[in-house]
Amino acid sequence: MNLNIQERIKVGIVSDTHGFIDPRIIDVVAKCDIAVHAGDIGNANSLVSLETRLGYITAVRGNNDIAGYWPVNDRVYLQNIPEIRHLDLPGGRLSVEHGYAALQQSDPHEVLRQKYPDSRVIVYGHSHQRIIDTGATPWVINPGASGRSRTYGGPSCLVLATSEEAWEVSEYSFNPL
């Protein structure tokens, strides 16, 4: 998807909400232009509660985003959530997948870099652990768990600031509720 935006864009990145997104994460994302959810969403409310300045929210399915795990009334939303998304942003491409298959490999970041060589940043979830790997291009980042399930110290998210000139990642983490 091409957003046709030529200025600086802030992308709020969340993952692994499993049906609950921490309200402090919602507050961080509300200050962003767009939101990206890297899977294991859990229900429609976990997406609906994300509001951004441009009103743009996108998501990918996680390994737990299957009909049997979602509330009956929310299952209709699953058919519109793909396994992979690409966003063309100022200065490059952002690719998103949940990362379940890549994390089964011995070097998952290299697997993701080979899969998306034209991306500037690759976002994945699944591990519930926040990671910012800028040691090679494309960067590989994981916001950690943004809900209350296996947060490893508390919920977290990332904000990616993009422009034609530079991209930078900021980390946000909170104590458990």
Side-chain angles (χ1 to χ4, degrees), residues 6 46 56 90 110-111 146:
Q6 301 303 317
S46 291
Y56 186 83
E110 185 56 32
V111 168
S146 302

Side-chain angles (χ1 to χ4, degrees), residues 14-50:
V14 302
S15 187
D16 297 288
T17 52
H18 293 277
F20 173 83
I21 186 163
D22 190 283
R24 297 164 295 182
I25 302 289
I26 292 171
D27 290 343
V28 170
V29 173
K31 296 174 184 137
C32 295
D33 300 298
I34 63 177
V36 170
H37 195 304
D40 279 358
I41 303 159
N43 60 30
N45 191 56
S46 291
L47 293 177
V48 172
S49 64
L50 294 172

Side-chain angles (χ1 to χ4, degrees), residues 81-98:
I81 302 173
E83 292 184 7
I84 297 169
R85 289 261 192 205
H86 303 284
L87 299 174
D88 293 318
L89 299 167
R93 174 172 270 196
L94 173 77
S95 295
V96 186
E97 73 168 60
H98 188 57

